[in-house]
Amino acid sequence: MPSGARRRVLRAFAAAVAGFSALVAWTLMTGPAAGATESSACLLPRTAVHHSEGVDGWDGDYARPAGDVKALMVFLSFPGTDPQLTPAQVAADHYPATGRFWANASYGQFRLHLHAETRWLRMPHPATDYLISRNWDAADRDAYLRDAIATADPSVDFAGYDVIYLVADPDAPGVDSDATKVVNLATPISVDGNPVRRMVTVFEHHPPDRNVLAHETGHIFDLPDLYYQPPPGSNADWDTHVGDWDLMGSQFGLAPDPFAWHKWRLGWLGPDQVGCIVGIGTTYHDLSPDETPGGTKLLVVRTGEDTALAMEARTRTGNDRASCSEGVLLYDVRSDRESGDGPIDVIDGHPGHSACPATSVYPPLADAPLGVGESYTVPGGSTQVTVLGRQTDGTWSVRVTEAATQATNQPSGVGTVD
């Protein structure tokens, strides 16, 4: 449900007032115990929208972020301009930081290995000829890609790489850092026997934006943009959907570790690490922080055919060591909304309050997680989430009460650039 339609309720919790008359089930560190349900009941379906948040299958057009994945970085210069940096210096802007980010996020299950070429390859035209920009004209973009591949192919072996970064000279006139994007080809091209469907065109200046290549790499593995892109001329905020939470919202966020929902989608969470809450009653759960391996990571309440309420714990560690706040984060997920159209909305656990105004990308959501003793109730009171405590081992104890059966049957590109 869009956060704007919600009635938010926060209230203090007195630990002594916990009634056990309702149906009780504990979700332990080792996974759901008696009374909990398998996560399959909360699998939102994949829909036809671009980068759907559905988790009931995998789009075979995308490589899986599992095990050792090879990435290739090619460096492109332009006539009339001599690069001021070496390829090694430009590569160091992005690696090993990007590989380290994804290794942390995946609990070591996804290891991105980079092979960086060692020399600049000169494009046939100046960068200004390609009219590089964020909202790049398709014909100009395609001309750039054709020239880039034609320039590199004689001396670069593209075989065996799942990720390809085409890196432009950051100091060349006409290079626009806003145009750093993943380009998805409607029909893959074959280069050195390697079918290439998507490439990252990198136009970052030196030093680059924080986590920019990690963000674009997320698109390679089918993750959507979670930010809002205002129409031309608008001064609207880009970060109203998720704020600092998950780098697919903002690469500058204070808590860029991917949502547990994304870790579930990408295959890094096992079925015993996702608790699906169904039926009327009260259940108790221990949530292990999203940033650390092991334990139950995600609780889900199905709210419709393509919608769900998700819960996870976030702490100041790992990729989130600069986080503004800690606690249990709640958010709505929609698998029928495409990339950039708000597929995830973080629920503000402290409406009317802001935090970390000097560093947060969107202070109203910087303190979104619920702390110990705080509750959130969905409109109509069908679901209430209460944070009971934080254990010495780092887990967060949560009580979820379902007052009514959740409805599960409510209805709720080709050549794309991310």
Side-chain angles (χ1 to χ4, degrees):
M1 306 171 212
S3 55
R6 288 188 171 279
R7 176 171 56 87
R8 298 175 174 87
V9 179
L10 272 176
R11 66 187 186 187
F13 169 75
V17 194
F20 290 89
S21 57
L23 171 67
V24 174
W26 280 91
T27 300
L28 304 175
M29 285 292 291
T30 54
T37 37
E38 294 184 0
S39 58
S40 58
C42 288
L43 292 170
L44 292 189
R46 286 192 62 90
T47 64
V49 301
H50 187 42
H51 292 319
S52 170
E53 290 284 17
V55 288
D56 67 344
W58 182 261
D59 186 342
D61 287 337
Y62 291 87
R64 284 188 176 275
D68 297 296
V69 176
K70 295 173 61 180
L72 172 67
M73 187 171 281
V74 178
F75 301 91
L76 303 170
S77 64
F78 303 91
T81 304
D82 291 326
Q84 301 302 300
L85 301 169
T86 67
Q89 288 174 310
V90 177
D93 278 343
H94 305 287
Y95 278 85
T98 298
R100 187 164 52 239
F101 178 92
W102 287 111
N104 288 339
S106 68
Y107 317 117
Q109 298 176 67
F110 166 37
R111 298 170 297 277
L112 191 64
H113 300 279
L114 177 70
H115 169 73
E117 291 293 305
T118 58
R119 63 191 181 97
W120 291 102
L121 302 175
R122 186 153 297 232
M123 293 280 278
H125 305 290
T128 52
D129 286 7
Y130 297 104
L131 302 178
I132 299 165
S133 67
R134 179 179 185 87
N135 297 311
W136 210 349
D137 178 80
D140 295 324
R141 180 200 67 200
D142 292 348
Y144 179 86
L145 289 174
R146 284 196 303 270
D147 286 351
I149 296 299
T151 296
D153 190 30
S155 58
V156 176
D157 185 0
F158 286 81
Y161 293 100
D162 290 311
V163 182
I164 295 173
Y165 303 114
L166 300 175
V167 183
D169 174 8
D171 297 311
V175 169
D176 181 357
S177 61
D178 275 348
T180 295
K181 296 285 183 181
V182 171
V183 178
N184 303 286
L185 303 177
T187 303
I189 60 174
S190 180
V191 188
D192 296 328
N194 195 43
V196 177
R197 182 176 290 274
R198 50 191 55 86
M199 296 166 281
V200 183
T201 53
V202 182
F203 298 103
E204 291 302 303
H205 295 158
H206 173 77
D209 289 343
R210 177 159 54 98
N211 283 332
V212 62
L213 211 61
H215 173 100
E216 299 304 333
T217 303
H219 288 312
I220 292 286
F221 300 106
D222 201 20
L223 294 184
D225 281 321
L226 301 181
Y227 56 76
Y228 164 69
Q229 184 174 351
S234 170
N235 292 322
D237 200 298
W238 288 60
D239 299 305
T240 55
H241 288 301
V242 301
D244 293 282
W245 310 97
D246 197 305
L247 87 164
M248 301 312 294
S250 174
Q251 62 215 36
F252 302 102
L254 299 177
D257 208 44
F259 288 123
W261 186 276
H262 283 164
K263 297 185 181 188
W264 188 24
R265 272 190 61 199
L266 296 175
W268 302 334
L269 299 184
D272 63 341
Q273 294 183 284
V274 180
C276 181
I277 301 169
V278 297
I280 299 173
T282 298
T283 55
Y284 294 81
H285 312 268
D286 287 336
L287 278 172
S288 172
D290 185 51
E291 302 86 357
T292 60
T296 299
K297 296 295 184 203
L298 179 65
L299 301 177
V300 182
V301 177
R302 188 74 170 267
T303 57
E305 180 180 345
D306 302 304
T307 61
L309 170 67
M311 298 159 255
E312 64 186 62
R314 302 294 287 258
T315 55
R316 293 187 188 95
T317 188
N319 288 334
D320 288 349
R321 57 191 173 277
S323 179
C324 180
S325 60
E326 300 181 299
V328 175
L329 187 69
L330 280 63
Y331 50 95
D332 289 313
V333 184
R334 297 193 60 145
S335 64
D336 60 347
R337 286 191 176 172
E338 67 178 13
S339 177
D341 193 32
I344 292 181
D345 278 297
V346 165
I347 295 170
D348 189 353
H350 303 91
H353 295 84
S354 296
C356 300
T359 51
S360 170
V361 300
Y362 189 63
L365 288 179
D367 61 349
L370 299 175
V372 175
E374 295 180 333
S375 296
Y376 170 79
T377 304
V378 303
S382 58
T383 302
Q384 183 186 71
V385 181
T386 301
V387 181
L388 302 179
R390 187 176 185 181
Q391 310 306 317
T392 56
D393 64 359
T395 61
W396 294 73
S397 297
V398 179
R399 183 182 69 191
V400 182
T401 299
E402 289 295 300
T405 304
Q406 294 296 315
T408 57
N409 57 356
Q410 298 296 318
S412 301
V414 175
T416 57
V417 179
D418 295 309

